[in-house]
Amino acid sequence: MQNNSTYTEEALVTLLKAKSPEGVGILYDRFSPVLFGIIKNIVQSDEVAEDVLQEAFLKIWQNADQYDPSKGRIFTWTLNVSRNLALDKVKSRQFKNSLKNSTEENIVSVIDAQQSVRDNPETIGVKDLLNHLKPDQKELLDLMYFQG
């Protein structure tokens, strides 16, 4: 068994497509802190973000065969899956109903955050989350995300 950080992206994708629990574990170890931060910036709640992150990794594991390396890196795909689930969550009736039980201050901050994400996807806090990554991962994301 290799160290989690020594798996190449291709090896990791092979594990994921084989429905390997080890593969999803490695993927989780590598990407969950950044994905959690992005999700939390969208849903504005640790508890909801944890649920969405768990749902995202389940969806990633179940649909790994849909990942196409020619369309982008595995991180980009997992980011899109996670972000879309978070956006779906804030649009859901259940989430909106839970806001009715929140204080006015919480409601205003969640609505402002939703509007901010809709109006400007650059405000989801990715730059802040880059500080938690290894230098090579940080550079890769900076080049891909911020410099196209």
Side-chain angles (χ1 to χ4, degrees):
M1 185 167 142
Q2 295 178 326
N3 180 335
N4 285 354
S5 63
T6 62
Y7 279 92
T8 64
E9 183 165 322
E10 293 79 22
L12 180 56
V13 169
T14 300
L15 287 172
L16 287 171
K17 288 188 176 195
K19 303 289 187 219
S20 165
E22 180 184 11
V24 80
I26 294 166
L27 191 76
Y28 184 88
D29 290 344
R30 285 188 186 175
F31 301 146
S32 65
V34 173
L35 296 177
F36 176 80
I38 291 167
I39 292 167
K40 184 175 183 256
N41 280 332
I42 295 170
V43 299
Q44 299 293 307
S45 162
D46 283 346
E47 185 178 324
V48 175
E50 289 169 2
D51 290 343
V52 172
L53 182 66
Q54 181 178 3
E55 186 179 341
F57 273 94
L58 181 61
K59 187 171 186 173
I60 289 163
W61 188 54
Q62 290 173 336
N63 297 302
D65 55 331
Q66 294 178 5
Y67 167 67
D68 182 359
S70 69
K71 293 183 179 179
R73 304 208 44 150
I74 190 74
F75 176 78
T76 306
W77 184 69
T78 60
L79 173 69
N80 286 330
V81 169
S82 302
R83 184 179 151 288
N84 290 340
L85 285 171
L87 291 171
D88 288 347
K89 181 59 117 178
V90 296
K91 293 175 189 174
S92 74
R93 178 174 289 157
Q94 177 187 8
F95 186 81
K96 289 177 183 176
N97 286 340
S98 72
L99 291 180
K100 291 178 183 175
N101 297 328
S102 298
T103 65
E104 279 185 20
E105 188 176 303
N106 285 344
I107 292 171
V108 170
S109 69
V110 169
I111 291 170
D112 286 347
Q114 291 172 3
Q115 188 66 36
S116 171
V117 169
R118 266 196 309 274
D119 293 344
N120 183 3
E122 297 297 325
T123 63
I124 60 176
V126 174
K127 277 198 175 199
D128 295 334
L129 296 171
L130 284 174
N131 294 326
H132 300 289
L133 295 175
K134 296 176 187 172
D136 59 331
Q137 293 172 329
K138 186 176 178 179
E139 180 182 5
L140 174 68
L141 285 175
D142 185 53
L143 290 171
M144 281 178 36
Y145 192 79
F146 298 108
Q147 298 177 28

